[in-house]
Amino acid sequence: EVHLVESGGVLVQPGGSLRLSCAASGFTFSDYWMNWVRQAPGKGLEWVANINQDGSAKHYVDSVKGRFTISRDNAKSSLYLEMNSLRAEDSAVYYCARDRYSTGSLDSWGQGTLVTVSS
Amino acid sequence: QSALTQPAAVSGSPGQSITISCTGTSSDIGYIYNFVSWYQQHPGKTPKLIIYDVTNRPSGVSNRFSGSKSGHTASLTISGLQAEDEADYYCNSYSSSGPSYVFGTGTKVTVL
């Protein structure tokens, strides 16, 4: 069974930094594109970033370019999101999700980790 | 990378069919790729993939859910509406600007 577990979400001050992690199990992690998707409280889903199987291709939503970095460690079956220069509008539950067919088909999601940016 | 446009709310009676639209541009929904997916999210739960690549249903998803695309608009149809279908629904599409993916604004489905 596919299992994704996010961690690292905390309360952080504006301008601060944070690293989110996603531990994967139940599938061959290195075979799949992986994504981060966020959802602010009471709001809709927002795609944040994705990374290809070997980490050589990374894409981001415009609002996080230059501030967030997605990475992966296939040996550890782990996905990461390094978040810098955090803003209040980055406050959200952050989900990691597997892209089943490399077409944006996000078939497996973690339970999410809450990031709150506030002074 | 503007969000795709969905109606805020759609409602129907049990047994009826409803359709949710998802409107984008030539850079996303209307692009040459058929990378459009739909997600169902019940309150307090994680999103669930119900349609991928415009028309395909993952294993285990009811055949009451179907997807289509025409031009810059994708659609999700729920036939034989049931109480358990009451949830939020989001479309998602590949966008050639980035490249990236973009979600729709979300539609709340109410079963009357």
Side-chain angles (χ1 to χ4, degrees):
Chain A
E1 180 187 0
V2 174
H3 205 46
L4 299 169
V5 179
E6 303 92 338
S7 61
V10 292
L11 170 64
V12 60
Q13 291 190 338
S17 297
L18 203 55
R19 188 197 201 203
L20 304 183
S21 299
C22 172
S25 60
F27 65 103
T28 304
F29 182 72
S30 57
D31 284 349
Y32 297 90
W33 280 79
M34 294 297 296
N35 294 253
W36 287 99
V37 175
R38 66 185 178 183
Q39 186 169 34
K43 303 297 184 182
L45 300 173
E46 181 180 34
W47 179 85
V48 175
N50 69 356
I51 185 170
N52 71 342
Q53 290 86 339
D54 65 5
S56 61
K58 306 174 185 183
H59 306 299
Y60 302 90
V61 66
D62 284 348
S63 60
V64 308
K65 281 181 181 176
R67 300 189 300 122
F68 290 12
T69 302
I70 189 172
S71 63
R72 65 192 296 161
D73 185 335
N74 287 340
K76 295 182 177 179
S77 294
S78 292
L79 178 72
Y80 306 102
L81 187 66
E82 191 78 36
M83 308 163 69
N84 297 314
S85 302
L86 282 162
R87 307 166 179 166
E89 54 265 36
D90 295 319
S91 296
V93 173
Y94 284 73
Y95 297 102
C96 69
R98 182 182 79 165
D99 187 342
R100 177 67 178 84
Y101 299 107
S102 303
T103 59
S105 45
L106 307 184
D107 73 327
S108 299
W109 298 63
Q111 287 302 305
T113 187
L114 177 62
V115 173
T116 304
V117 184
S118 175
S119 55
Chain B
Q1 293 178 332
S2 298
L4 306 172
T5 301
Q6 298 181 232
V10 173
S11 62
S13 299
Q16 285 187 330
S17 292
I18 61 170
T19 297
I20 302 169
S21 61
C22 171
T23 302
T25 69
S26 57
S27 296
D28 38 63
I29 301 282
Y31 194 60
I32 54 174
Y33 296 160
N34 284 322
F35 295 170
V36 176
S37 53
W38 289 89
Y39 301 84
Q40 176 192 63
Q41 187 179 32
H42 287 105
K45 301 296 185 181
T46 59
K48 175 186 177 183
L49 177 67
I50 55 174
I51 294 288
Y52 67 95
D53 298 355
V54 177
T55 60
N56 295 325
R57 274 188 313 276
S59 175
V61 172
S62 172
N63 59 9
R64 297 185 299 104
F65 294 95
S66 61
S68 62
K69 186 182 89 166
S70 178
H72 301 171
T73 299
S75 299
L76 173 72
T77 298
I78 309 175
S79 58
L81 200 60
Q82 299 180 0
E84 67 205 49
D85 300 331
E86 193 162 283
D88 294 323
Y89 291 81
Y90 297 91
C91 59
N92 178 276
S93 173
Y94 173 86
S95 172
S96 61
S97 59
S100 62
Y101 284 91
V102 58
F103 278 98
T105 49
T107 298
K108 182 176 180 59
V109 168
T110 300
V111 180
L112 301 172

